């Protein structure tokens, strides 16, 4: 930045409302003001020994930057405080340096050693800020230092620092693209990060640096899908857009059967098709049969990973962030089966009503969707009615949507709306409405005459622009059935005296020339008038006058021969070379001479050939090949940096690439071996098969009651509740020696006695919940990242403590990886309440289910028992609150005893 520009920025920068600025005009006396010294007090405060003054100065400086003021001249004074001991001052200094490090590179480089020390600071905010400043210094000489800092930050304990490392990657890549290979290694490492804070940032870095390296996503695909719900909103947008492109390369088209049937099974004949081509028809029929057979033979089965993506993004349609809703909408539009795409319609309509600032983008996308998926927006037709307060661009887009949604059933309602819109004062909007009426008339033949008559009535409108637009649209509609509407052509011929808009005049002249046989008396007179005003007409009108003269010369040369020669002579000397060339070409074609070529024989066929009626199409017709919501879709042109939406693969790629390998424990101590043995018990893993918990529990209860040795044995899977509870309570049992173990066994045998005191001999660890028992959700599978936990009050005695309620918990691992060390921690209870924890579940394999029982003494209250449910990697806060009925103890009474109690 030059000194003069810095001076101007400083003196005349934008200011907050109500704050006067001086020095804009030299005549105002600003040059003689002391304004150039206004930062001296801040410099003095920054040089002082008091941290409070430094902090106050930095707050004022950062506030200046936030208001858009130029504070670059304070850089030397600020950068001196980069080594300040006060943590608050240091944070604000780093905020300032991030803003000005690129502009003041030389001074920033002098402090680079301080930034490097900041990377080792105990405070995570300082480490992250130091990395942010370092990556903001755009000097190639420090690239190796930046690379080293990013690598170290990528392994930092703090997820916030790792997130900052991900942000620094694109900065370094733009500074030195040769570092790409090393940066990809860092991206690969960060992609494996399991924290939601890092996920969005590293995917953004991936998109900037190596979007083609789709192989880096394979192992992390399922994790990203599961984390998506908890990532911050802008991270969600980035991840969803990336996963949309990923899914288009890895999964099959869910609408493959429908598209095949549409290609081969279209009942309509092609435009150029002939009734005589019987052989071709037979071939087409055979193709239809083949395609139908193929569809029946190979029904599409959606890949579970494809379903996972759709299932995990669907809840985000309720997001408060409009960008997230739009991202999910485009994902569903590009990836979901046709039957499921409808869910996005309600979300987009809600967005349209609640977020006026995003209406334009939402309507752009809805306009594209309504072409391919019209049915899903039909129930919300009234949401697209136009309000008088809408800006013109919103009105035009709503018109587009309404036109796309028009069909035989709702066209009368839509045309009544259009009738109102034509009375608007907004002329651009009125013109767009007339075009919309024309499109409705083209697409729906039942209302063509009604629309045409309505447009003819508009020809008497006072506004010239309305008339002109009507003429253009009528011209297109008349091409479909000109013989029926010669009266309208005559009426339009009379308008040539009044209409001055060039496009409308040209349209009328084209119509008269094209259908001159329908108005043989009027056409020559129109040409006479046009020849008279030829030199004053616009170029587009002149070209149509020449065409009209040529057509009339070929059909009615007696009346128009001299007029045609006059027009061609005028055109011969016109300033526009297009008009001169057209005149020369037509003269040689229609006036045969010795020099004329063979083409002159075919003049009539050339000029008077039947023209196909124009097809009025939506400007959004072919936009869906751009990814919805992207800048390229908005502009309808490929923008810089746009990544094409890949085509669906013909054959499904190998789905096993997304499987994550579970590391095997090669070194296993005796304690771990014992743990594995316990895992093999049917109690822990659902190895009984699909028979359900009731059946297995019954069989185990039989074995438990039948043999005392079986219930006492540690190796059997039907150990009593007392044994298992004791195992759970003595968490350090595995580390004890053999003597202590024997003592434990004796204790367990003694504790068996209270169990047999109860009437039910069934072990409580595998209580079979009856159909009457209600299950409650403790942890949802999305919140639990694949782990789902349900609990029920088993209404069975809890053997270790008769005052406790037995709560049976069912753990289901829906994730793709195993869950280990399932246990409870950090139990928080109200006074008087007690909890007996369930035994730790060492291993819960993917897809398996396990049950456990815990005891809770609610102390005759309905207060919740709060605790943490922990795995080897995660902690989830959960709580169990009892219904009042579950706190009652069942008592068996005879009829006499009951009557006695009742009498009291």
């Amino acid at each position: 930045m030059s000194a003069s520009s810095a001076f101007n920025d400083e003196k005349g920068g934008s200011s907050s409302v109500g704050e006067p600025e001086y020095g804009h005009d030299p005549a105002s006396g600003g040059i003689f003001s002391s304004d150039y010294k206004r930062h001296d007090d801040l410099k003095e405060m920054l040089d002082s020994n008091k941290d409070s003054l430094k902090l106050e100065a930095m707050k004022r400086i950062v506030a200046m930057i936030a208001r858009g003021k130029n504070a670059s001249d304070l850089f030397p004074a600020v950068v001196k405080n980069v080594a300040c001991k006060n943590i608050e001052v240091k944070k604000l200094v780093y905020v300032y340096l991030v803003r000005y490090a690129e502009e003041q590179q030389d001074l920033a480089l002098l402090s680079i050693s301080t930034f490097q020390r900041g990377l080792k600071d105990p405070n995570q905010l300082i480490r992250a800020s130091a990395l942010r400043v370092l990556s903001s210094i755009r000097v190639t000489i420090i690239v190796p230092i930046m690379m080293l800092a990013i690598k170290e930050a990528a392994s930092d304990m703090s997820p916030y620092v790792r997130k900052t490392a991900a942000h620094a990657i694109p900065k370094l890549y733009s500074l030195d693209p040769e570092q790409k290979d090393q940066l990809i290694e860092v991206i690969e490492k960060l992609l494996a990060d399991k924290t939601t804070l890092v996920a969005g940032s590293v995917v953004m870095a991936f998109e900037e640096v190596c979007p083609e390296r789709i192989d880096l996503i394979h192992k992390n695909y399922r994790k990203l899908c599961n984390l998506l719900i908890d990532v911050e909103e802008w991270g969600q947008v980035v991840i969803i857009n990336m996963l949309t492109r990923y899914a288009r390369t890895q999964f099959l088209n869910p609408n493959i059967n429908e598209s095949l049937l549409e290609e081969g099974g279209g009942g309509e004949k092609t435009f150029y098709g002939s009734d005589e081509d019987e052989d071709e028809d037979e071939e087409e029929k055979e193709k239809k049969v083949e395609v139908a057979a193929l569809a029946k033979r190979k029904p599409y089965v959606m890949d579970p990973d494809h379903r996972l993506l759709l299932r995990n993004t669907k809840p985000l349609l309720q997001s408060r962030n409009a960008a997230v809703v739009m991202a999910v909408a485009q994902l569903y539009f590009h990836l979901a089966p046709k039957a499921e795409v409808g869910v996005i319609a309600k979300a987009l309509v809600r967005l349209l009503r609640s977020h006026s600032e995003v209406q334009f983008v939402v309507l752009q996308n809805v306009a594209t969707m309504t072409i391919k998926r019209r049915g899903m927006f039909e129930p919300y037709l009234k949401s697209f009615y136009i309000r008088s307060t809408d800006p013109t661009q919103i009105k035009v887009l709503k018109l587009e949507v309404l036109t796309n949604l028009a069909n035989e059933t709702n066209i009368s309602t839509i045309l009544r709306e259009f009738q109102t819109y034509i009375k608007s004062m907004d002329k651009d909007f009125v013109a767009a409405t007339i075009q919309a009426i024309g499109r409705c008339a083209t697409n729906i033949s039942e209302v063509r005459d009604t629309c045409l008559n309505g447009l003819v009535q508009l020809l008497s409108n006072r506004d010239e622009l309305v008339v002109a637009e009507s003429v253009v649209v009528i011209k297109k509609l008349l091409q479909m059935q000109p013989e029926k509407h010669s009266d309208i052509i005559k009426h339009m011929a009379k308008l040539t005296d009044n209409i001055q808009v060039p496009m409308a005049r040209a349209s009328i002249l084209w119509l008269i020339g094209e259908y001159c046989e329908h108005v043989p008396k009027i056409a020559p007179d129109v040409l006479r008038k046009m020849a008279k005003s030829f030199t004053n007409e616009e170029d587009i009108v002149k070209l149509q006058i020449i065409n009209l003269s040529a057509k009339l010369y070929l059909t009615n040369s007696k009346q128009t021969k001299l007029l045609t020669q006059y027009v061609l002579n005028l055109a011969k000397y016109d300033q526009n070379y297009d008009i001169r060339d057209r005149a020369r070409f037509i003269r040689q074609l229609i006036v045969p001479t010795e020099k004329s070529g063979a083409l002159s024989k075919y003049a009539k066929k050339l000029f008077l050939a039947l023209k196909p009626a124009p097809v009025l199409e939506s400007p959004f017709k072919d936009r869906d090949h751009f990814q919805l919501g992207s800048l390229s879709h908005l502009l309808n042109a490929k923008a810089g940096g746009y990544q094409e939406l890949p085509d669906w693969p013909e054959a499904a790629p190998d789905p096993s690439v997304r499987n994550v390998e579970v590391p095997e424990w090669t070194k296993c101590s005796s304690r771990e071996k014992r743990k594995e043995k316990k895992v093999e018990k049917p109690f822990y893993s659902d190895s009984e098969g699909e028979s359900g918990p009731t059946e297995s529990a019954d069989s185990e209860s039989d074995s438990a009651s039948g043999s005392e040795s079986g219930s006492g044995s540690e190796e059997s899977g039907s150990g009593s509740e007392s044994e298992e509870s004791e195992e759970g309570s003595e968490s350090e049992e595995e580390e004890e020696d053999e003597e202590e173990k024997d003592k434990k066994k004796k204790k367990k045998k003694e504790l068996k006695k209270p169990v047999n005191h109860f009437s039910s001999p069934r072990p409580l660890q595998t209580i079979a919940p009856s159909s009457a028992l209600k299950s409650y959700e403790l942890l949802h599978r999305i919140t639990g990242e694949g782990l789902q936990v349900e609990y029920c009050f088993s209404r069975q005695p809890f053997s270790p403590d008769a005052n406790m309620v037995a709560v049976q918990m069912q753990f289901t691992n829906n994730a793709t990886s195993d869950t280990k060390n399932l246990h409870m921690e950090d139990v928080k209870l109200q006074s008087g309440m007690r909890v007996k924890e369930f035994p730790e579940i060492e291993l819960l394999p993917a897809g398996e289910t396990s049950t456990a029982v815990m005891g809770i003494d609610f102390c005759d209250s309905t207060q919740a028992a709060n605790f943490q449910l922990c795995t080897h990697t995660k902690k989830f806060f959960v709580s169990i609150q009892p219904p009042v009925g579950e706190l009652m103890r069942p008592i068996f009474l005879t009829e006499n005893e009951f009557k006695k109690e009742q009498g009291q």
Side-chain angles (χ1 to χ4, degrees):
M1 181 184 285
S2 64
S4 60
S5 64
F7 178 82
N8 291 335
D9 285 348
E10 181 183 328
K11 303 300 177 195
S14 62
S15 63
S16 58
V17 178
E19 185 179 333
E21 281 288 335
Y22 302 101
H24 288 282
D25 180 10
S28 68
I31 291 171
F32 305 104
S33 72
S34 59
D35 201 36
Y36 66 92
K37 290 184 178 179
R38 64 178 176 172
H39 290 157
D40 283 359
D41 58 334
L42 292 172
K43 290 175 184 175
E44 286 175 15
M45 290 167 77
L46 289 168
D47 286 339
S48 74
N49 295 324
K50 293 183 178 179
D51 286 344
S52 58
L53 286 174
K54 289 182 178 181
L55 184 60
E56 181 59 30
M58 284 310 304
K59 282 180 180 177
R60 284 167 60 183
I61 292 167
V62 171
M64 283 169 58
I65 296 168
R67 292 204 306 272
K69 299 280 189 70
N70 184 11
S72 57
D73 59 331
L74 286 164
F75 196 92
V78 173
V79 83
K80 281 190 288 186
N81 290 285
V82 76
C84 179
K85 297 285 176 67
N86 187 298
I87 199 81
E88 296 301 319
V89 174
K90 206 168 193 175
K91 285 180 194 173
L92 294 175
V93 168
Y94 278 129
V95 169
Y96 176 90
L97 292 176
V98 168
R99 169 66 182 81
Y100 288 109
E102 193 170 342
E103 294 174 21
Q104 305 274 351
Q105 291 175 355
D106 295 340
L107 285 169
L109 283 171
L110 293 173
S111 307
I112 203 158
S113 58
T114 313
F115 304 143
Q116 286 178 288
R117 281 199 302 275
L119 293 169
K120 308 288 184 186
D121 196 278
N123 189 313
Q124 59 173 351
L125 295 174
I126 299 298
R127 296 202 299 276
S129 299
L131 180 59
R132 200 176 290 120
V133 176
L134 203 58
S135 59
S136 300
I137 303 173
R138 315 289 292 161
V139 182
T140 50
I141 197 168
I142 65 160
V143 163
I145 297 171
M146 283 171 65
M147 176 58 77
L148 192 64
I150 289 171
K151 283 183 176 178
E152 286 180 5
S155 305
D156 197 279
M157 288 179 67
S158 165
Y160 180 67
V161 178
R162 300 200 295 275
K163 179 188 179 76
T164 310
H167 288 167
I169 289 170
K171 292 183 185 178
L172 179 53
Y173 178 68
S174 64
L175 186 62
D176 185 6
E178 291 180 6
Q179 304 293 324
K180 183 173 180 177
D181 292 339
Q182 291 188 60
L183 290 173
I184 288 174
E185 290 176 14
V186 181
I187 288 171
E188 188 171 10
K189 183 177 183 179
L190 288 172
L191 277 170
D193 201 299
K194 293 182 180 179
T195 53
T196 53
L197 199 64
V198 181
S201 303
V202 69
V203 170
M204 188 72 215
F206 168 81
E207 292 279 80
E208 292 281 335
V209 178
C210 54
E212 73 285 351
R213 286 291 304 275
I214 209 86
D215 56 294
L216 298 179
I217 304 298
H218 290 324
K219 299 285 184 191
N220 303 292
Y221 171 81
R222 291 169 187 162
K223 181 196 73 182
L224 287 171
C225 288
N226 289 321
L227 285 181
L228 197 55
I229 197 88
D230 296 318
V231 176
E232 82 276 6
E233 291 164 339
W234 297 112
Q236 287 173 342
V237 174
V238 174
I239 294 172
I240 290 169
N241 286 330
M242 183 275 292
L243 290 178
T244 303
R245 286 194 300 279
Y246 176 86
R248 285 288 287 250
T249 63
Q250 298 301 310
F251 308 128
L252 291 177
N253 184 356
N255 303 307
I256 184 72
N257 288 356
E258 289 185 28
S259 58
L260 281 172
L261 290 168
E262 282 170 10
E263 286 172 18
E268 298 174 7
K269 290 183 182 177
T270 56
F271 180 82
Y272 295 103
S274 169
D275 294 332
E276 297 169 4
D277 301 338
E278 290 177 7
D279 297 336
E280 288 181 12
D281 288 349
E282 285 177 12
E283 286 177 14
E284 283 176 15
K285 285 177 184 175
E286 287 174 11
K287 281 181 185 175
K288 289 176 196 174
V289 173
E290 284 175 15
V291 170
L294 179 71
K296 288 178 183 175
R297 197 165 56 245
K298 293 183 179 178
Y300 171 76
V301 179
M302 186 178 281
D303 188 298
D305 287 328
H306 190 173
R307 173 57 62 199
L308 176 73
L309 177 60
L310 294 175
R311 188 172 63 242
N312 284 13
T313 49
K314 189 176 178 181
L316 295 177
L317 285 170
Q318 307 299 322
S319 174
R320 62 185 177 181
N321 188 302
V324 175
V325 178
M326 280 304 312
V328 178
Q330 64 85 20
L331 180 138
Y332 262 75
F333 181 77
H334 291 303
L335 300 181
K338 280 185 179 178
E340 297 177 29
V341 179
V343 297
I344 65 176
K346 190 175 183 181
L348 290 175
V349 170
R350 177 177 56 81
L351 210 59
L352 207 58
R353 292 170 181 165
S354 58
H355 292 68
S356 57
E357 66 277 7
V358 296
Q359 276 189 335
F360 182 74
V361 178
V362 173
L363 285 167
Q364 285 260 346
N365 289 283
V366 171
T368 305
M369 290 178 187
T370 48
I371 292 168
K372 290 283 178 74
R373 306 269 196 277
R374 185 169 65 184
M376 69 185 198
F377 286 101
E378 279 180 8
Y380 307 101
L381 185 72
K382 290 185 179 178
S383 299
F384 302 104
Y385 283 179
I386 289 150
R387 299 174 182 177
S388 57
T389 53
D390 287 336
T392 304
Q393 57 183 8
I394 298 297
K395 289 177 180 175
V396 172
L397 282 171
K398 283 187 174 180
L399 269 178
E400 185 66 39
V401 174
L402 286 171
T403 311
N404 290 346
L405 293 177
N407 56 31
E408 289 82 356
T409 54
N410 61 23
I411 185 65
S412 56
T413 313
I414 289 174
L415 284 179
R416 275 201 299 275
E417 275 292 306
F418 287 174
Q419 220 169 352
T420 313
Y421 300 160
I422 287 167
K423 297 171 187 173
S424 171
M425 299 299 290
D426 185 343
K427 298 307 167 194
D428 292 335
F429 170 49
V430 172
T433 305
I434 293 167
Q435 290 172 15
I437 292 170
R439 271 183 53 207
C440 288
T442 309
N443 299 335
I444 304 164
S445 55
E446 288 86 346
V447 294
R448 192 170 297 155
D449 290 344
T450 310
C451 291
L452 199 53
N453 292 334
L455 291 170
V456 170
Q457 287 174 15
L458 289 177
L459 295 177
S460 57
N461 195 291
R462 291 179 184 178
D463 193 281
E464 194 176 284
L465 288 171
V466 173
V467 177
E469 199 63 48
S470 303
V471 167
V472 175
V473 174
I474 288 169
K475 170 217 160 188
K476 292 174 180 175
L477 293 178
L478 286 179
Q479 282 182 261
M480 295 175 183
Q481 292 173 320
E483 64 283 349
K484 287 186 179 179
H485 304 292
S486 55
D487 292 342
I488 295 174
I489 297 171
K490 288 175 187 175
H491 180 63
M492 291 175 74
K494 294 174 186 175
L495 294 172
T496 49
D497 295 336
N498 302 324
I499 294 177
Q500 299 302 319
V501 177
M503 189 66 198
R505 290 174 73 81
S507 296
I508 293 171
L509 293 174
W510 185 91
L511 264 178
I512 293 167
E514 188 66 21
Y515 305 114
C516 52
E517 70 273 13
H518 297 299
V519 283
K521 293 179 181 178
I522 294 173
D525 201 44
V526 171
L527 180 61
R528 179 181 61 78
K529 287 183 177 180
M530 291 296 110
K532 201 173 180 180
S533 62
F534 184 88
T535 50
N536 299 323
E537 299 287 354
E538 293 288 333
D539 291 346
I540 189 172
V541 182
K542 287 178 180 176
L543 288 170
Q544 290 305 329
I545 294 171
I546 296 168
N547 285 348
L548 173 63
S549 63
K551 289 172 182 174
L552 288 175
Y553 182 87
L554 292 168
T555 56
N556 187 3
S557 59
K558 285 183 183 179
Q559 282 185 288
T560 57
K561 186 177 181 181
L562 292 172
L563 266 175
T564 303
Q565 287 177 353
Y566 176 69
V567 169
L568 292 175
N569 285 334
L570 287 174
K572 185 179 179 182
Y573 300 104
D574 197 88
Q575 290 182 346
N576 187 300
Y577 59 81
D578 280 337
I579 293 166
R580 295 198 301 270
D581 286 353
R582 178 75 61 89
R584 192 180 299 117
F585 166 69
I586 285 176
R587 187 189 293 276
Q588 290 296 319
L589 205 59
I590 64 172
V591 185
T593 60
E594 293 176 4
K595 295 180 181 178
S596 294
L599 274 177
S600 59
K601 299 175 189 175
Y602 306 104
K604 281 196 175 183
K605 286 187 178 179
L606 284 171
F607 279 102
L608 303 174
L610 284 172
K611 278 77 172 179
V615 180
L616 300 177
E617 291 180 337
S618 168
F620 291 87
K621 187 188 175 194
D622 296 318
R623 283 207 200 181
D624 61 323
H625 66 275
F626 290 117
Q627 188 169 348
L628 264 65
S630 64
L631 179 63
S632 300
H633 174 262
L634 193 71
L635 302 173
N636 199 20
K638 191 174 178 181
Y642 173 72
Q643 295 171 42
E644 291 282 356
L645 195 65
D647 292 325
W648 293 102
E650 292 181 7
D654 181 17
S656 65
V657 293
R658 289 182 290 279
N659 294 340
V660 182
E661 293 177 10
V662 180
E664 293 181 6
W665 304 104
T666 49
K667 294 178 181 178
C668 185
S669 65
S670 59
R671 180 168 65 89
E672 285 169 335
K673 281 178 184 174
R674 282 201 296 276
K675 281 187 181 180
E676 283 177 12
K677 276 190 177 181
K678 287 187 180 179
V679 168
E680 287 170 8
K681 292 182 191 178
F683 161 88
Y684 285 117
S685 63
D686 212 3
S687 58
E688 301 93 346
E690 300 297 323
S691 59
T694 309
E695 189 178 323
S696 61
D698 287 337
S699 61
E700 285 180 10
S701 67
D702 292 340
S703 63
S705 57
S707 88
E708 189 176 328
S709 61
S711 61
S713 167
E714 188 177 319
E715 294 298 323
S716 79
S718 56
S720 69
E721 169 59 24
S722 57
E723 290 174 14
E724 301 295 349
S725 304
E726 192 61 38
E727 282 178 13
S729 63
E730 300 292 339
S731 58
E732 296 175 3
E733 181 195 346
E734 286 91 356
E735 297 176 13
E736 294 174 352
D737 56 21
E738 294 298 323
E739 290 178 12
E740 288 183 50
K741 232 177 153 185
D742 291 337
K743 290 178 184 177
K744 279 272 180 351
K745 282 185 182 179
K746 287 177 183 177
K747 272 189 182 181
K748 285 175 190 173
K749 285 182 180 179
E750 288 172 11
L751 280 167
K752 237 175 63 178
K753 293 172 185 176
V755 177
N756 296 329
H757 171 75
F758 292 103
S759 57
S760 172
R762 180 174 297 176
L764 289 171
Q765 283 288 29
T766 51
I767 292 167
S770 70
S771 58
L773 295 183
K774 184 180 177 181
S775 289
Y776 302 90
E777 187 175 74
L778 186 65
L779 187 65
H780 191 270
R781 65 177 185 280
I782 293 176
T783 316
E785 299 178 16
L787 179 65
Q788 182 179 351
V789 185
E790 292 183 343
Y791 68 93
C792 69
F793 295 92
S794 58
R795 301 176 186 170
Q796 298 286 345
F798 187 67
S799 56
D801 192 329
N803 292 321
M804 288 189 172
V805 176
V807 180
Q808 179 163 311
M809 305 171 76
Q810 184 174 17
F811 302 90
T812 307
N813 187 2
N814 294 306
T816 52
S817 57
D818 295 351
T819 299
K820 300 173 186 173
N821 305 107
L822 256 170
H823 62 282
M824 290 167 58
E825 280 183 13
D826 194 18
V827 180
K828 292 180 181 176
L829 305 170
Q830 298 293 329
S831 60
M833 291 173 62
R834 295 178 298 122
V835 161
K836 184 75 172 176
E837 297 178 2
F838 64 85
E840 180 176 328
I841 298 176
E842 305 290 349
L843 178 69
L844 183 58
E848 296 290 326
T849 301
S850 184
T851 54
V853 175
M854 65 181 292
I856 308 177
D857 180 2
F858 288 99
C859 196
D860 295 332
S861 74
T862 54
Q863 296 292 329
N866 302 305
F867 57 92
Q868 284 186 9
L869 197 61
C870 305
T871 67
H872 64 301
T873 55
K874 299 286 178 186
K875 293 185 178 182
F876 307 103
F877 290 93
V878 292
S879 64
I880 296 177
Q881 190 163 12
V884 177
E886 300 294 350
L887 301 176
M888 307 293 183
R889 185 195 298 276
I891 298 175
F892 296 95
L893 299 173
T894 63
E895 190 177 351
N896 293 333
E897 287 172 336
F898 174 73
K899 285 177 180 176
K900 185 181 176 183
E901 291 289 332
Q902 191 181 34
Q904 290 177 355

